[in-house]
């Protein structure tokens, strides 16, 4: 089988070497198209691939139609909103992600950003400490769980809410389970977002919800920019000059946030959450293993378009 690594933003060399070892070790062929700049090169590269490994690369119906042999797409990472799942299902293509492989990397970044914000962006002004503050984790998945582990190390009080994870499972992790999302927002000093971008969550972090946040609260977004109602949040931050917004995903209104909320807003220049050598390698190798296993045994454990 031909396995194509299709990455506009390439993996680290160590990850590619590891992927090659796994794929070729299982008797398959590995092809690479990295750092591509035009779509025609991408469409050409997929034309004889049976499997592709991608990162944030956009895979839509046009790409799938250019890949008549394609049986499986694996997104090396957690979020898979860059793949048109309906189009894949209609063509009998299995789509998988590699859950959990970059969760620690994202969680560690949360605390880098939080300390930076709590210490007034290292301007020299007196800031505040995280110890004793209450962090509210919205979505207790792989990243959320890692955030809770690290938060405890900082001496924070940890609350969480997840629409699909039972309260008992949250409490079993030694975390207070909020009754609902509204209570989480009302009661916590820091809200850390770990929801996927879905039809239900897009734009769901809006003016009215954030207006209930405590005085001097910090909203931390390492999830997706689409979950924020940017205009609503910007309007609120002009009304509530105590609120801070820190994001790992530059909003479309970045310039407006920067100009109107100076000293209370920060966005990483590029999405940094999963950008560690470890996460890169973990996710890439997991993708390669999942593809080989799928071809060998039909294992679809991590399929997201079932
Ligand atoms: P995950 O699939 O392990 O967890 C997602 C959790 O969200 C699940 O527990 C699910 O029950 C919950 N959930 C889904 N819809 C919800 C809703 N409406 N309300 C409350 N909870 C809901 O995913 P993860 O690995 O924890 O990653 C979370 C998100 O973080 C990803 O979907 C991705 O968008 C984002 N992410 C960003 C980066 C980055 O570089 N900044 C890296 C990895 C992941």
């Amino acid at each position: 089988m031909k396995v194509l690594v299709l990455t506009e933003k390439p993996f680290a060399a160590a990850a590619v070497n590891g992927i090659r070892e796994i794929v070729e070790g299982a008797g398959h062929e590995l092809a690479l198209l990295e750092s591509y700049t035009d779509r025609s090169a991408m469409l050409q590269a997929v034309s004889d691939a049976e499997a592709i490994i991608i990162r944030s690369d956009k895979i839509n119906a046009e790409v799938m139609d250019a890949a008549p042999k394609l049986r499986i797409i694996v997104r090396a990472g957690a979020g898979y909103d860059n793949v048109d799942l309906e189009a894949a299902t209609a063509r009998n293509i299995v789509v998988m992600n590699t859950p959990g492989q970059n969760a620690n990397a994202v969680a560690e970044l949360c605390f880098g950003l939080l300390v930076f914000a709590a210490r007034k962006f290292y301007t020299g002004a007196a800031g505040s400490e995280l110890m004793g503050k209450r962090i509210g984790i919205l979505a207790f998945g792989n990243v959320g769980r890692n955030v809770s582990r690290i938060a405890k190390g900082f001496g924070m009080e940890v609350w969480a809410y997840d629409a699909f994870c039972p309260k008992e499972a949250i409490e079993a992790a030694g975390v207070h389970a909020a009754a609902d999302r509204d209570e989480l927002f009302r009661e916590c000093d820091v809200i850390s977002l770990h929801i996927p971008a879905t039809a239900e969550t897009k734009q769901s972090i809006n003016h009215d919800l954030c207006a209930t946040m405590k005085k001097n609260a910090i909203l931390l977004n390492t999830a997706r920019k689409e979950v924020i109602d940017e205009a609503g949040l910007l309007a609120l931050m002009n009304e509530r000059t105590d609120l801070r917004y820190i994001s790992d995903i530059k909003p479309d209104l970045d310039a407006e946030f920067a100009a109107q909320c100076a000293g209370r807003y920060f966005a990483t220049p590029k999405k940094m959450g999963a950008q560690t050598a470890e996460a890169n390698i973990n996710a890439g190798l997991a993708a390669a293993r999942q593809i080989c296993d799928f071809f060998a045994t039909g294992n679809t454990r991590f399929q997201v378009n079932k």
Side-chain angles (χ1 to χ4, degrees):
M1 301 288 176
K2 183 160 181 179
V3 179
L4 172 70
V5 173
L6 183 71
T7 48
E8 190 176 8
K9 209 159 68 174
F11 284 111
V16 175
N17 292 340
I19 291 170
R20 183 179 296 287
E21 252 175 53
I22 293 168
V23 168
E24 293 180 351
H28 305 299
E29 181 192 344
L30 187 80
L32 293 177
L33 181 68
E34 299 177 301
S35 311
Y36 57 88
T37 48
D38 72 49
R39 202 146 172 94
S40 58
M42 179 199 192
L43 296 178
Q44 176 61 38
V46 298
S47 63
D48 57 352
E50 271 116 347
I52 57 177
I53 297 175
I54 55 166
R55 298 187 73 204
S56 297
D57 307 78
K58 287 210 169 12
I59 305 296
N60 58 14
E62 183 197 18
V63 180
M64 295 177 205
D65 285 339
K69 296 183 174 173
L70 192 59
R71 290 175 55 198
I72 176 168
I73 300 168
V74 182
R75 150 69 164 132
Y80 43 85
D81 41 328
N82 50 322
V83 181
D84 184 338
L85 296 187
E86 268 180 37
T89 305
R91 290 162 181 77
N92 275 326
I93 298 170
V94 170
V95 182
M96 295 186 189
N97 65 348
T98 60
Q101 302 293 339
N102 55 20
N104 180 64
V106 181
E108 286 189 12
L109 184 74
C110 286
F111 288 87
L113 291 170
L114 268 183
V115 171
F116 185 47
R119 295 304 182 93
K120 302 269 174 73
F121 306 118
Y122 305 155
T123 52
S128 55
E129 299 179 25
L130 297 178
M131 188 163 77
K133 304 292 187 306
R134 187 180 292 159
I135 185 169
I137 298 172
L138 183 60
F140 205 58
N142 287 292
V143 178
R145 285 169 188 271
N146 276 279
V147 168
S148 79
R149 169 179 55 79
I150 301 172
K152 288 178 194 169
F154 273 87
M156 300 185 83
E157 188 188 331
V158 188
W159 286 34
Y161 172 73
D162 189 299
F164 303 102
C165 175
K167 275 186 161 192
E168 297 70 35
I170 293 176
E171 279 159 2
V175 169
H176 177 84
D180 52 29
R181 190 188 66 164
D182 290 354
E183 188 188 46
L184 195 77
F185 270 70
R186 260 195 332 266
E187 299 296 334
C188 295
D189 304 295
V190 174
I191 294 290
S192 192
L193 303 176
H194 304 292
I195 40 176
T198 63
E200 194 195 338
T201 64
K202 280 182 188 169
Q203 309 275 318
S204 65
I205 309 303
N206 57 26
H207 175 283
D208 292 357
L209 177 65
C210 295
T212 66
M213 287 171 74
K214 285 173 78 171
K215 191 166 166 48
N216 296 324
I218 298 176
L219 178 66
L220 172 62
N221 181 14
T222 59
R224 283 285 183 270
K225 75 174 176 184
E226 290 83 357
V227 303
I228 306 280
D229 166 11
E230 293 184 10
L233 179 61
L234 182 63
L236 176 69
M237 286 186 63
N238 278 302
E239 292 158 24
R240 289 267 314 264
T241 54
D242 59 304
L243 294 180
R244 284 165 284 176
Y245 178 46
I246 314 298
S247 181
D248 183 36
I249 311 96
K250 217 175 231 186
D252 293 336
L253 298 180
D254 171 59
E256 289 82 351
F257 274 102
Q260 296 170 36
C261 311
R264 299 185 293 127
Y265 163 75
F266 175 79
T268 51
K270 292 227 163 152
K271 188 148 74 78
M272 297 295 300
Q275 294 298 348
T276 66
E278 293 86 347
N280 227 262
I281 293 170
N282 293 346
L285 300 196
R289 283 193 203 101
Q290 287 171 214
I291 285 173
C292 293
D293 200 22
F294 171 74
F295 284 140
T297 69
N299 186 344
T300 54
R301 177 169 166 214
F302 296 110
Q303 183 171 359
V304 292
N305 64 331
K306 271 184 185 162

